Amino acid sequence: AASLNTMTAQLAATDRRQREFLADVAHELRTPITAIDGFASALVDGAARTDDDRREAAEIIKGESGRLCDLVADLQALTLADLDQEVVREPTDLVECCREVVERLEHAAGERGVLLRGPRAGQDPVVAVTNAAHVQTIVSNLVTNAIRATPPGGSVRVSAMHEGGSAVVEVADTGVGIAPEHLPRIFERFYRVDKSRSRNAGGSGLGLSIVKHIIEAHGQTMSVRSTQGKGSTFAFTLQKA
Ligand code: ADP
């Protein structure tokens, strides 16, 4: 009977977490959908009178639908991370994974005046037992956050190295940093330090929960050090091949 009680309690907890998750998702969907609905109505019923009004409405609709697409992509990634048991893990070069992400995001960083640097040319491979797509998901989430947090003239550095018996990947920025009271909470779903600013900058608030899920599925943990006004360093370890 005791174990049956435990099982019932566990099921109730899962059920509660799922309902909380759905409530969070509904809440996050509401803001962009309300904006799209409002500005689409203004176009349909003629409340947007001038060409300028109509252009502004169209731009807001475009921006908010873009945010919805990002949110749905993140939700999908989070669900896939949950089903991680099935994912194939094989010897993977982390240096190469980091380079691919840097190549993909270099342009976006440059546009914001941030210098994005990857592993130096000619560095020996750092091989871990993992999944390349997952490592790239993690690194690109960390780099996207780092670029967003870094003012023009700053830099973001991505590196892969051996440390003790493990392989380590690190993303370091010279950005705004994270206050100590927020640090323990940034991996929570939909948690944002500066709500209005992050929303406008386009973050879904899910990036770090996806990262945490994938790392935990590897039986590993993330670490983060941050000094306000100086920058942050996110790191994770993987089992060496
Ligand atoms: P988001 O989609 O908002 O980026 P995340 O889960 O990826 O969501 O991150 C949660 C919050 O943590 C961000 O909104 C931001 O406030 C903070 N954060 C994450 N990475 C950094 C960083 N490198 N520097 C400063 N703040 C960060």
Side-chain angles (χ1 to χ4, degrees):
S3 72
L4 194 62
N5 279 339
T6 320
M7 245 171 71
T8 313
Q10 272 168 358
L11 281 177
T14 312
D15 197 41
R16 183 168 46 77
R17 271 199 300 274
Q18 269 170 3
R19 278 195 313 244
E20 281 168 4
F21 181 55
L22 275 178
D24 286 347
V25 171
H27 177 85
E28 292 294 323
L29 290 173
R30 181 179 291 271
T31 317
I33 288 175
T34 305
I36 291 172
D37 188 47
F39 284 94
S41 300
L43 287 175
V44 170
D45 62 24
R49 284 180 213 286
T50 65
D51 278 351
D52 277 351
D53 287 349
R54 284 188 285 270
R55 188 171 319 110
E56 192 196 345
E59 270 164 15
I60 292 174
I61 290 172
K62 172 128 178 52
E64 295 296 323
S65 8
R67 282 182 15 83
L68 278 180
C69 289
D70 292 346
L71 178 60
V72 170
D74 278 356
L75 282 170
Q76 219 161 14
L78 195 60
T79 318
L80 290 178
D82 263 339
L83 303 173
D84 184 57
Q85 328 307 359
E86 308 288 311
V87 166
V88 180
R89 298 214 186 111
E90 56 198 1
T92 305
D93 179 14
L94 302 179
V95 173
E96 192 48 42
C97 290
C98 290
R99 274 214 185 97
E100 272 171 38
V101 174
V102 167
E103 260 167 40
R104 215 166 348 111
L105 295 175
E106 230 162 18
H107 182 72
E111 285 200 322
R112 296 182 49 108
V114 173
L115 177 67
L116 176 59
R117 283 179 297 171
R120 64 179 166 70
Q123 183 189 339
D124 285 339
V126 174
V127 183
V129 185
T130 181
N131 176 279
H134 273 188
V135 174
Q136 288 182 19
T137 301
I138 297 173
V139 177
S140 78
N141 270 298
L142 295 177
V143 172
T144 306
N145 282 346
I147 295 172
R148 224 180 261 152
T150 304
S155 64
V156 174
R157 189 177 40 81
V158 186
S159 33
M161 65 211 116
H162 298 284
E163 210 172 87
S166 306
V168 181
V169 175
E170 212 176 75
V171 177
D173 66 62
T174 61
V176 291
I178 303 159
E181 67 267 28
H182 292 296
L183 263 191
R185 301 203 54 193
I186 54 170
F187 290 92
E188 291 173 18
R189 274 191 322 247
F190 301 119
Y191 189 82
R192 301 172 181 109
V193 173
D194 178 343
K195 309 224 162 7
S196 53
R197 215 189 76 111
S198 318
R199 225 181 69 70
N200 294 334
S204 70
L206 283 175
L208 287 179
S209 9
I210 295 168
V211 165
K212 183 171 168 236
H213 254 78
I214 301 178
I215 297 289
E216 283 178 354
H218 281 79
Q220 306 282 341
T221 52
M222 284 290 303
S223 79
V224 47
R225 310 189 294 276
S226 187
T227 313
Q228 263 192 296
K230 293 227 149 131
S232 316
T233 301
F234 287 76
F236 61 94
T237 50
L238 290 170
Q239 194 197 326
K240 246 180 9 189

